[in-house]
Amino acid sequence: MKAIGWRESLREFVKANPSVEGIPADDKQFFQLYWTKPQVEARADPDLLKATIWLNYLYHDKLKKKSENVDLSVPLTYADRFRIRKAGVKWGVHPPHIDGGSIERWEDPAFRKCFEDILSGRWRQHDPYDLQGRLDARSSLYGRPNQATVFRTFQGWLSMSETGPSQGTLKVFPDVLLSNAYIMLRPFFKPLVPIDSPEIVDPKNWALNLDTAEFPGLWSRDGGWAGPHPTPTSHPHLFLEKTMISVPKVKPGDGVFWHCDVIHSVEEEHTGTEDSAVMYIPAVPLTDKNDDYVRRQMECFLKAQRPPDFPKGDDEARFTGIATANDIVNDLGRRAMGLPIAVV
């Protein structure tokens, strides 16, 4: 299978280039690499791109307005990294969190519009799949590295191994409407009892709080803000210890995707016998903002530099086995990367 071949090629790449950056530093399993041939080929795979088109079409405009700023039928590529996690290794790197915007969810007017029903007291009417606000939302106001500036309808990864629950796989909170409502409203309430009190979840032990600018689960980092990272302490009513659900068993070549607002994590334990290996590949539709990013990303690709949203580092051109534009051979994949398409 192609996915197994990609995994083995990535192993060989890391072996041939031992200076690649990764974590943990003494036993690298999550790699700061973006332009290896397996990654570039996987992102350009026509079947995978067609799957992301289907995912994009789960979104709609609730007001039924036709926007000229989006084409859900055109998939774009967002370059990210990969991991090959070893069995038996405890993993605390990815606790429950939400990507795609931190303080921006409240601070940016367009992003805040995505949650207008929640903030207006009509939380049950909130539609996480409404395009209103998404297209113009600024998810990175402070330019913090590792914070996506594009609109990803779904985050995702492509499995390169057979992995099931308790084997280092993905966990998700299964109701994005409820979690969005709770996350967005949590800063406006404060507990009246100690946070470790057994009565903490009783509604009578909470009060409206409009006097402080505290955002539980967020913190200052790298010139911007990190989070939301909900925990049982900061967001007790989510009952994360019980409600986070592992995805079912996947095999090499399976894709797993989750809504861009979903709380997700990686299992701390890996009780399996094989590596848990994935390439991070999201669903990204054509929008003005996304198209602009892909053009800048393409320039980085041609120079073997890290993509714009990620921490600066040494160019990958010094490594053996980096992909070039010639490794993307189909029109759908080339268009997704912003590369020219031959006209016959």
Side-chain angles (χ1 to χ4, degrees), residues 115-334:
F115 311 103
E116 186 174 43
D117 284 330
I118 294 172
L119 296 171
S120 299
R122 304 184 302 271
W123 68 268
R124 288 181 177 84
Q125 298 178 32
H126 170 60
D127 183 355
Y129 295 91
D130 185 10
L131 285 171
Q132 284 293 311
R134 300 280 180 186
L135 304 181
D136 299 317
R138 294 182 296 167
S139 57
S140 181
L141 292 175
Y142 300 95
R144 183 176 69 82
N146 285 321
Q147 187 152 321
T149 59
V150 302
F151 167 42
R152 297 174 290 185
T153 55
F154 287 80
Q155 292 179 253
W157 47 247
L158 178 71
S159 178
M160 298 181 288
S161 60
E162 183 171 316
T163 308
S166 82
Q167 297 175 349
T169 194
L170 176 78
K171 300 183 77 172
V172 297
F173 185 87
D175 193 321
V176 68
L177 187 155
L178 288 179
S179 59
N180 272 354
Y182 188 69
I183 291 290
M184 292 302 297
L185 294 176
R186 174 64 182 87
F188 304 106
F189 292 86
K190 63 181 178 181
L192 301 178
V193 296
I195 202 68
D196 58 354
S197 167
E199 305 298 324
I200 189 64
V201 296
D202 191 325
K204 73 174 184 295
N205 291 325
W206 290 77
L208 192 65
N209 176 27
L210 303 180
D211 300 324
T212 62
E214 294 183 5
F215 289 82
L218 273 63
W219 67 93
S220 178
R221 179 179 177 183
D222 299 332
W225 292 85
H229 278 234
T231 68
T233 299
S234 65
H235 295 76
H237 299 87
L238 291 176
F239 296 100
L240 293 174
E241 311 98 315
K242 300 178 180 179
T243 54
M244 294 293 288
I245 297 174
S246 300
V247 299
K249 179 183 287 188
V250 294
K251 295 183 178 181
D254 288 342
V256 175
F257 297 90
W258 58 98
H259 186 282
C260 58
D261 290 335
V262 160
I263 301 170
H264 59 286
S265 65
V266 176
E267 291 178 329
E268 289 190 17
E269 302 292 339
H270 182 351
T271 62
T273 58
E274 299 181 6
D275 292 340
S276 173
V278 303
M279 283 189 271
Y280 295 96
I281 304 176
V284 181
L286 175 63
T287 70
D288 290 346
K289 182 176 63 176
N290 288 356
D291 195 40
D292 175 71
Y293 179 87
V294 165
R295 293 179 190 279
R296 291 184 287 120
Q297 176 184 255
M298 182 262 293
E299 294 173 1
C300 293
F301 169 53
L302 296 177
K303 299 175 184 177
Q305 297 174 342
R306 293 185 180 184
D309 278 348
F310 294 89
K312 300 302 180 185
D314 293 335
D315 295 350
E316 294 182 24
R318 72 187 194 280
F319 296 136
T320 302
I322 288 298
T324 69
N326 293 332
D327 291 304
I328 305 177
V329 297
N330 68 81
D331 288 351
L332 190 62
R334 292 184 68 84

